[in-house]
Amino acid sequence: MACPGRLLQGLTEDEDVRAMLRGSRLCKIRSRTWHKERLYRLQEDGLSVWFQRRIPRAPSQHIFFVQHIEAVREGHQSEGLRRFGDAFPPARCLTIAFKGRRKNLDLAAATPEEAQRWVRGLGKLRARLDAMSQRERLDHWIHSYLHRADSNQDSKMSFKEIKSLLRMVNVDMNDMYAYRLFKECDHSNNERLEGAEIEEFLRRLLKRPELEEIFHRYSGEDRVLSAPELLEFLEDQGEDGATLARAQQLIHTYELNETAKQHELMTLDGFMMYLLSPEGAALDPAHTCVFQDMDQPLSHYFISSSHNTYLTDSQIGGPSSTEAYVRAFAQGCRCVELDCWEGPGGEPVIYHGHTLTSKILFRDVVQAVRDHAFTLSPYPVILSLENHCGLEQQAVMARHLRAILGDVLVTQALDSQNPEELPSPEQLKGRVLVKGKKLPAARSEDGRILSDQEEEDEEEEEAEATEQRRRLISQAKQISPELSALAVYCCATRLRTLRPNPVPPQPCQVSSLSERKAKKLIREAGNSFVRHNTRQLTRVYPLGLRMNSANYSPQEMWNSGCQLVALNFQTPGYEMDLNAGRFLINGQCGYILKPACLRQPDTTFDPECPGPPRTTLTIQVLTAQQLPKLNTEKPNSIVDPLVRVEIHGVPADCARKETNYVLNNGFNPRWGQTLQFQLRAPELVLVRFVVEDYDTTSPNDFVGQFTLPLNSLKQGYRHIHLLSKDGASLSPATLFVHIRIQRF
């Protein structure tokens, strides 16, 4: 049998990886007193790490996957180790941070050398995984299951073991058909498959008839694609820049057969490699780097924004953590919230006031901003301060901001000639802005009474809040001159009216609105609100009544040009899928240039009245490949998948259509169904592809999804690489579709 650890090819002689395969006893640190030694060992597949638990659980609860790791940090570089790792020298410590909601793993090794082996080894495995093509991932995936299905590890597969393999990979194949396939590959006729027989079985299992059909349509009788034939395919796909030279380049990049490559021919295997690559994906590869104009005023961009950033769970009793800020930045967030309250010892704290959420120090959050704000994106970060502190601790906040952030902090206008004009993301690269209250120029020498609009809005909406809390919320706040001075381009102000004022609006003023108030403005003010958002920043936040930190749909706010649409990043769901889809493009830098109709000061655009349809989107859902099992502990549990395509845009464009379900096949289900949508404002549309497991008696179970802007969707035959609920890759799970976009 082929070696299951294909990820380890080229790494089998690596000392760090070999040490990980042998395993290490590492100390897991969860609190000052909870330190437990556990065995951690890299599995032979090179994809996962097995770890010991005090109480044995289901097998899936004893592993974590390399592809789910966000970062590996050395030393005391996590909140947990900074607080609880004093007993362990930093040189012996490491933190494994995961994508999604999984908590950090804080570990201490017996020696600094052993800690370094894990840091380096995981780094090499992650780099190898990132470098693997989709075809290699698929090959690796099937061989890892093959290794598990070989129950007696004799490198031979009985029919019973083959049936076990089929269930593992989510296919309920008819026994007669499965046995016929088995016997066709059993050339030795001994009821066992081995070596080349196993490889032949896998080749037949992984066949893609729909790809073969497309390939043969263009290749003709010789069953290979010449460069001109590949060019014809590219032209039919609607590929920009389809030339003979481009076709020749693709052959040299993706063709596996050296002889074919030398003759500028592409075989079926090369064709599959191409279609499974990023160049064959639904997302336009040209949009994965920063490609938009970054020299326009901040008000011309959608800016990825987080609400209650400090929370890792609900806003009633969940823990607060600086790690929540690190995770938000890792997801491309550019505007984070700091809910600041009076703390003991003269040190301000951050938590969700009047609740049981835990408290963290303001200065620790500012430190996390300094250390992590620009790891993914170089563009500016906005600190949205919700200030509940007295004058003394406000001055402490201002001192911490200046001392910790230094030159990174914007403390004065970039252009002294036009101090009120908003600069561009490009001008503010690597800088941090403070959004907070600003004292009027005439009263800037001492503290002045100002109100906090966000609190007032929440007070209006939370009618059942206690009388005591109402008084606390509505009482006016004094603003210290030191903190006021730091609000340069994001001066918090109350949005009182959208009617034309005698005094023109100041671009550096930012309004914060609850989702309810924003919806009311969208309904009642329409175009006036859109025009307001061409000049000034507007932040929208969830209703305070969402106790479980649920989210609202951000699309409605984007339709009106609101820039800072703040969501609870800690709460997965379709709302965060839309946010991830909106900011997926432009290098995931957290800034997306708004459509022209939302940037022109005299725009007539109204999301409630977008005009007649201008675009037809036609999606043919063809097949899916290697969908994940939802219940890995039940061998006979196979999904019944269906595909739903959702359109999120202006209200008149919003729609959802779905295919029929395919019974008992998550491995290679086929649909061949066409879904069509008429679109009035295509420039605002997000397309969400969802796969669900159909259930007759209860709501369908989520399998995977992928969301992207319509303007970044490529036409033709495309693979869609599915993501989990937490946004992690479900590789090698894909949808195969045909996309047609007609603009008129």
Side-chain angles (χ1 to χ4, degrees):
M1 185 186 303
C3 166
R6 298 195 165 198
L7 182 62
L8 300 180
Q9 284 180 358
L11 293 174
T12 47
E13 299 305 311
D14 184 274
E15 281 302 317
D16 297 327
V17 172
R18 285 167 69 128
M20 291 170 68
L21 285 164
R22 289 192 295 271
S24 300
R25 298 200 71 82
L26 303 173
C27 187
K28 182 178 177 181
I29 302 162
R30 280 178 37 185
S31 71
R32 209 168 292 286
T33 54
W34 199 102
H35 306 156
K36 305 288 183 189
E37 197 175 80
R38 299 275 191 262
L39 178 63
Y40 290 82
R41 186 171 60 232
L42 178 67
Q43 301 287 80
E44 284 186 30
D45 61 7
L47 281 175
S48 55
V49 174
W50 177 90
F51 55 92
Q52 199 178 16
R53 296 190 96 126
R54 187 173 61 87
I55 301 167
R57 307 260 184 97
S60 62
Q61 301 294 308
H62 280 265
I63 59 171
F64 64 79
F65 291 96
V66 174
Q67 73 176 24
H68 292 164
I69 295 175
E70 181 74 60
V72 181
R73 306 183 209 145
E74 304 176 51
H76 292 175
Q77 291 297 311
S78 71
E79 184 179 57
L81 285 174
R82 278 195 290 267
R83 290 175 66 191
F84 309 129
D86 296 349
F88 303 91
R92 286 170 47 198
C93 295
L94 66 141
T95 296
I96 300 173
F98 296 96
K99 297 171 184 173
R101 302 184 76 188
R102 185 169 186 155
K103 290 179 181 173
N104 287 355
L105 189 53
D106 291 320
L107 301 170
T111 65
E113 293 74 25
E114 190 167 35
Q116 277 301 306
R117 286 207 182 285
W118 279 84
V119 170
R120 289 193 303 259
L122 286 171
K124 291 166 190 172
L125 290 170
R126 292 175 67 213
R128 174 77 182 95
L129 190 61
D130 288 344
M132 285 173 82
S133 70
Q134 182 73 5
R135 185 65 183 268
E136 287 176 304
R137 287 171 189 244
L138 173 59
D139 198 31
H140 184 80
W141 176 84
I142 194 72
H143 278 86
S144 65
Y145 276 113
L146 189 65
H147 186 66
R148 283 164 55 189
D150 184 11
S151 53
N152 58 359
Q153 298 297 297
D154 65 352
S155 295
K156 298 175 183 178
M157 299 294 288
S158 66
F159 180 62
K160 184 179 177 183
E161 288 171 328
I162 286 290
K163 281 290 288 179
S164 172
L165 169 72
L166 292 172
R167 283 195 298 269
M168 282 181 186
V169 299
N170 220 349
V171 60
D172 186 19
M173 195 181 284
N174 173 282
D175 270 11
M176 283 177 61
Y177 178 73
Y179 187 66
R180 189 171 83 234
L181 190 61
F182 177 86
K183 287 307 291 179
E184 284 172 2
C185 300
D186 182 18
H187 301 299
S188 54
N189 206 27
N190 64 352
E191 298 296 319
R192 293 281 188 280
L193 301 185
E194 55 185 308
E197 294 173 338
I198 291 173
E199 293 301 320
E200 183 182 345
F201 180 83
L202 295 182
R203 266 200 311 278
R204 288 174 177 237
L205 191 63
L206 294 168
K207 272 183 75 157
R208 296 279 304 274
E210 77 282 21
L211 286 188
E212 292 180 27
E213 184 186 320
I214 298 163
F215 181 79
H216 294 148
R217 202 184 304 157
Y218 289 89
S219 66
E221 291 181 9
D222 58 359
R223 299 298 167 98
V224 287
L225 281 175
S226 64
E229 287 168 337
L230 180 56
L231 173 59
E232 185 188 352
F233 172 75
L234 296 176
E235 287 170 342
D236 289 351
Q237 287 274 89
E239 283 283 357
D240 293 331
T243 62
L244 192 61
R246 174 72 178 135
Q248 290 163 339
Q249 181 197 355
L250 291 175
I251 290 171
H252 283 278
T253 304
Y254 296 106
E255 180 50 53
L256 305 172
N257 184 300
E258 284 302 320
T259 307
K261 193 185 287 190
Q262 285 167 12
H263 290 88
E264 291 191 338
L265 298 172
M266 182 178 265
T267 63
L268 176 61
D269 275 350
F271 188 64
M272 284 179 68
M273 282 286 286
Y274 164 55
L275 284 180
L276 283 167
S277 77
E279 292 188 275
L283 173 64
D284 188 340
H287 290 191
T288 57
C289 55
V290 175
F291 71 99
Q292 295 182 329
D293 177 6
M294 302 303 286
D295 288 308
Q296 301 200 27
L298 286 181
S299 57
H300 286 189
Y301 297 84
F302 296 128
I303 304 170
S304 181
S305 304
S306 159
H307 176 65
N308 288 351
T309 314
Y310 46 88
L311 292 180
T312 58
D313 206 338
S314 87
Q315 62 184 46
I316 295 304
S320 305
S321 170
T322 57
E323 289 295 333
Y325 289 88
V326 179
R327 289 190 179 206
F329 290 135
Q331 293 176 71
C333 184
R334 298 285 85 193
C335 177
V336 294
E337 184 178 28
L338 288 74
D339 207 341
C340 311
W341 296 79
E342 294 264 320
E347 283 292 339
V349 294
I350 290 177
Y351 83 113
H352 199 62
H354 311 294
T355 67
L356 301 175
T357 57
S358 61
K359 300 177 174 74
I360 50 178
L361 289 173
F362 176 83
R363 67 166 183 242
D364 287 348
V365 171
V366 180
Q367 188 84 42
V369 170
R370 190 196 69 182
D371 294 344
H372 299 280
F374 301 104
T375 50
L376 185 72
S377 168
Y379 291 104
V381 163
I382 300 170
L383 305 183
S384 180
L385 302 185
E386 192 174 323
N387 175 20
H388 305 266
C389 295
L391 290 175
E392 282 185 25
Q393 291 206 11
Q394 286 181 46
V396 172
M397 286 163 59
R399 282 200 299 276
H400 284 326
L401 286 164
R402 286 180 182 271
I404 295 169
L405 296 177
D407 292 342
V408 165
L409 184 68
V410 174
T411 56
Q412 58 187 35
L414 273 61
D415 181 357
S416 55
Q417 300 301 309
N418 299 292
E420 299 290 344
E421 293 302 312
L422 285 175
S424 70
E426 192 65 36
Q427 289 172 296
L428 289 166
K429 255 184 174 176
R431 305 297 299 275
V432 173
L433 302 169
V434 169
K435 179 181 93 63
K437 295 296 177 192
K438 185 79 170 173
L439 290 169
R443 298 289 302 275
S444 60
E445 295 305 311
D446 54 8
R448 168 176 157 77
I449 301 291
L450 290 173
S451 63
D452 189 307
Q453 173 55 25
E454 184 161 330
E455 295 169 31
E456 288 183 10
D457 279 350
E458 288 201 10
E459 181 215 350
E460 291 167 13
E461 286 147 2
E462 296 176 32
E464 62 275 8
T466 63
E467 194 61 42
Q468 178 191 13
R469 186 181 172 196
R470 267 203 208 84
R471 283 199 302 275
L472 282 165
I473 285 174
S474 61
Q475 73 183 19
K477 293 282 188 295
Q478 287 187 310
I479 305 301
S480 81
E482 297 93 336
L483 197 56
S484 167
L486 299 182
V488 179
Y489 288 118
C490 297
C491 308
T493 187
R494 185 168 190 175
L495 182 61
R496 296 183 181 277
T497 177
L498 286 172
R499 286 190 292 275
N501 290 325
V503 181
Q506 305 301 313
C508 64
Q509 293 182 345
V510 185
S511 306
S512 275
L513 309 173
S514 72
E515 56 175 294
R516 180 181 292 171
K517 183 159 185 182
K519 284 178 181 178
K520 187 168 185 284
L521 281 171
I522 291 165
R523 244 185 358 259
E524 295 176 2
N527 174 252
S528 297
F529 192 34
V530 173
R531 288 190 178 196
H532 171 86
N533 289 327
T534 64
R535 301 180 297 263
Q536 291 180 222
L537 293 172
T538 298
R539 181 176 179 270
V540 183
Y541 58 90
L543 276 173
L545 295 174
R546 294 180 179 273
M547 300 305 185
N548 61 349
S549 292
N551 280 311
Y552 57 94
S553 171
Q555 184 66 45
E556 199 172 353
M557 314 307 167
W558 290 325
N559 291 340
S560 290
C562 298
Q563 301 86 352
L564 302 163
V565 182
L567 297 178
N568 289 295
F569 271 49
Q570 74 275 21
T571 309
Y574 87 92
E575 302 93 346
M576 275 306 295
D577 292 344
L578 296 184
N579 198 72
R582 176 66 67 201
F583 294 100
L584 175 68
I585 61 167
N586 210 31
Q588 296 186 34
C589 74
Y591 284 80
I592 299 295
L593 188 64
K594 296 196 292 187
C597 64
L598 297 179
R599 303 196 310 265
Q600 296 150 349
D602 56 351
T603 179
T604 57
F605 181 76
D606 182 345
E608 300 292 309
C609 310
R614 292 187 280 136
T615 300
T616 299
L617 170 64
T618 306
I619 297 173
Q620 193 178 7
V621 181
L622 299 168
T623 59
Q625 295 74 42
Q626 292 82 49
L627 299 176
K629 279 178 77 78
L630 297 184
N631 193 336
T632 53
E633 315 310 336
K634 285 189 179 175
N636 294 320
S637 171
I638 312 285
V639 300
D640 304 326
L642 63 82
V643 177
R644 184 171 65 250
V645 177
E646 301 173 357
I647 301 297
H648 297 266
V650 296
D653 284 346
C654 290
R656 50 172 57 195
K657 295 181 180 180
E658 60 188 40
T659 66
N660 300 328
Y661 68 91
V662 174
L663 190 64
N664 283 342
N665 187 353
F667 184 73
N668 55 3
R670 294 183 67 122
W671 291 279
Q673 288 180 253
T674 300
L675 311 175
Q676 195 169 80
F677 304 91
Q678 302 296 323
L679 307 173
R680 290 165 172 78
E683 61 272 39
L684 281 163
V685 164
L686 289 174
V687 185
R688 183 170 183 251
F689 296 87
V690 190
V691 182
E692 289 184 342
D693 179 14
Y694 175 75
D695 198 312
T696 50
T697 56
S698 61
N700 296 344
D701 291 319
F702 175 89
V703 175
Q705 70 86 34
F706 189 75
T707 306
L708 76 169
L710 176 73
N711 285 346
S712 298
L713 188 62
K714 296 273 277 183
Q715 296 197 67
Y717 291 102
R718 299 289 167 189
H719 280 98
I720 290 157
H721 299 264
L722 295 172
L723 304 175
S724 72
K725 209 169 262 185
D726 280 338
S729 167
L730 289 175
S731 179
T734 50
L735 280 178
F736 186 54
V737 299
H738 184 273
I739 296 161
R740 190 168 178 221
I741 302 169
Q742 297 161 282
R743 294 181 169 89
F744 45 86

